[in-house]
């Protein structure tokens, strides 16, 4: 009996150490999920409020003029752009931008999908840190800052390229939309990493990065190299190099943001 009681005493401290660890893991994950949900709501409101300060409500309504059908078709296009023949937008004289609203033309850029993808990306980064027991509320702010920095730099590059190459006039919100679409692929890669592991992450990242590169190539090319009266595209070596560079940049940027 004495040997049995001593054995129980030896095992008891080990069991007491395991329980606090499990509780700490659950608390860390719960804190990450709770903070992520709060950040999702506040981040969405912040994006809309800040954009409203610099953009007219009419223009803002144009880029958020989407419906369920458009969202599904746009996501399908982002994930499989290889079979689509035309990426040119349909014109409409009565529209504030001169083109059809997104819900009527899948080629029109929108801000609903990029904003939702961006905020979801930030929340997933927080959840991932929670799984790894390294979450702090500051992670969400740092992730948002780095993501916005990359977005702003790419938008400035697009704006500068269109200006130097004498491309047609385009709203800077078009460039925000083009740059923001990459977060759809980054979100899918993050989900693969969290639930399926690193091997699946690399597969999803490679595919979605390639799809986004092709989408960027075709979309920016359609906006930068317009058709002439006869219907043929006006070729320009400088513009083609610029578009190819932007397309090639999507993979490393997606890799950097997915770390």
């Amino acid at each position: 009996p004495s040997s049995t009681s001593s054995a129980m005493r030896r095992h008891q401290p080990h069991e007491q150490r395991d329980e606090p660890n499990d509780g700490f893991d659950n608390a860390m994950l719960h804190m990450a999920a709770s903070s992520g949900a709060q950040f999702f709501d506040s981040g969405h409101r912040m994006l809309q409020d800040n954009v409203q300060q610099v953009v007219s409500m009419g223009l803002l309504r144009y880029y958020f003029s989407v419906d369920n059908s458009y969202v599904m078709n746009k996501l399908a296009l982002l994930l499989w752009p290889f079979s689509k023949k035309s990426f040119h937008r349909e014109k409409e004289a009565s529209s504030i931008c001169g083109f059809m609203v997104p819900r009527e033309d899948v080629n029109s850029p929108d801000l609903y999908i990029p904003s939702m993808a961006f905020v979801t990306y930030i929340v997933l980064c927080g959840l991932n840190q929670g799984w790894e027991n390294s979450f702090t509320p500051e992670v969400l702010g740092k992730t948002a800052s780095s993501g916005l920095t990359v977005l702003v730099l790419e938008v400035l590059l697009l704006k500068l390229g269109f200006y130097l190459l004498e491309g047609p006039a385009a709203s800077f919100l078009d460039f925000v939309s083009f740059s923001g679409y990459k977060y759809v692929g980054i979100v899918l890669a993050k989900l693969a990493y969290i639930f399926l592991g690193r091997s699946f992450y690399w597969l999803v990242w490679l595919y979605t990065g390639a799809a986004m590169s092709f989408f960027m190539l075709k979309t920016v090319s359609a906006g930068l190299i317009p058709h002439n009266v006869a219907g043929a595209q006006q070729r320009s070596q400088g513009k083609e190099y610029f578009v190819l560079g932007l397309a090639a940049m999507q993979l490393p940027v997606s890799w950097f943001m997915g770390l």
Side-chain angles (χ1 to χ4, degrees):
S2 60
S3 61
T4 302
S5 60
S6 62
M8 291 176 64
R9 284 194 298 270
R10 285 197 301 268
H11 286 283
Q12 189 174 6
H14 176 72
E15 294 173 354
Q16 289 176 349
R17 283 195 301 267
D18 286 342
E19 291 178 1
N21 286 338
D22 293 339
F24 177 78
D25 293 347
N26 293 333
M28 183 69 73
L29 186 58
H30 177 73
M31 183 173 67
S34 177
S35 299
Q38 293 176 5
F39 188 89
F40 187 94
D41 293 335
S42 61
H44 185 221
R45 290 194 300 269
M46 180 189 68
L47 284 173
Q48 287 188 327
D49 292 343
N50 288 341
V51 171
Q52 288 176 8
Q53 293 177 5
V54 296
V55 180
S56 67
M57 283 302 300
L59 189 61
L60 195 62
R61 280 195 294 267
Y62 172 89
Y63 285 95
F64 281 92
S65 180
V66 301
D67 54 21
N68 292 335
S69 177
Y70 169 83
V71 171
M72 296 302 296
N73 290 332
K74 192 71 170 191
L75 290 175
L77 176 60
L78 292 172
L79 297 176
W80 184 257
F82 309 107
S83 59
K84 187 169 179 59
K85 295 181 180 179
S86 175
F87 286 79
H88 287 85
R89 300 164 65 179
E90 297 292 335
K91 294 185 177 182
E92 184 177 345
S94 60
S95 172
I96 189 172
C97 293
F99 297 97
M100 285 186 175
V101 295
R103 67 173 181 270
E104 296 176 357
D105 180 18
V106 73
N107 289 333
S108 291
D110 71 283
L111 289 178
Y112 177 79
I113 292 176
S115 62
M116 290 295 99
F118 181 69
V119 177
T120 303
Y121 157 74
I122 297 171
V123 173
L124 286 178
C125 287
L127 287 175
N128 184 46
Q129 294 292 319
W131 281 111
E132 298 176 353
N133 299 327
S134 58
F135 174 80
T136 60
E138 290 77 14
V139 168
L140 301 178
K142 291 179 179 178
T143 303
S145 297
S146 60
L148 286 174
T149 300
V150 172
L151 183 69
V152 169
L153 289 176
E154 190 169 9
V155 168
L156 291 177
L157 180 62
L158 280 163
K159 193 71 174 177
L160 181 63
F162 268 63
Y163 173 76
L164 294 178
L165 296 172
E166 299 179 350
S171 169
F172 84 96
L173 291 180
D174 288 351
F175 303 141
V176 173
S177 176
F178 296 154
S179 181
Y181 282 136
K182 70 169 61 64
Y183 286 100
V184 172
I186 296 174
V187 164
L188 293 177
K190 272 289 184 184
L191 288 171
Y193 176 78
I194 293 173
F195 295 106
L196 300 176
R198 186 173 293 275
S199 298
F200 284 94
Y201 164 79
W202 288 115
L203 290 175
V204 175
W205 165 79
L206 184 62
Y207 174 78
T208 56
M212 191 61 223
S213 295
F214 186 86
F215 175 82
M216 198 70 152
L217 174 70
K218 291 296 187 178
T219 301
V220 177
S221 178
L224 186 61
I225 310 175
H227 285 69
N228 57 25
V229 178
Q233 278 194 306
Q234 303 169 2
R235 313 309 298 178
S236 168
Q237 192 174 41
K239 293 180 180 180
E240 291 176 352
Y241 285 150
F242 175 71
V243 172
L244 287 173
L246 278 175
M249 192 175 67
Q250 300 308 304
L251 270 173
V253 170
S254 298
W255 169 80
F256 173 75
M257 298 307 300
L259 291 176

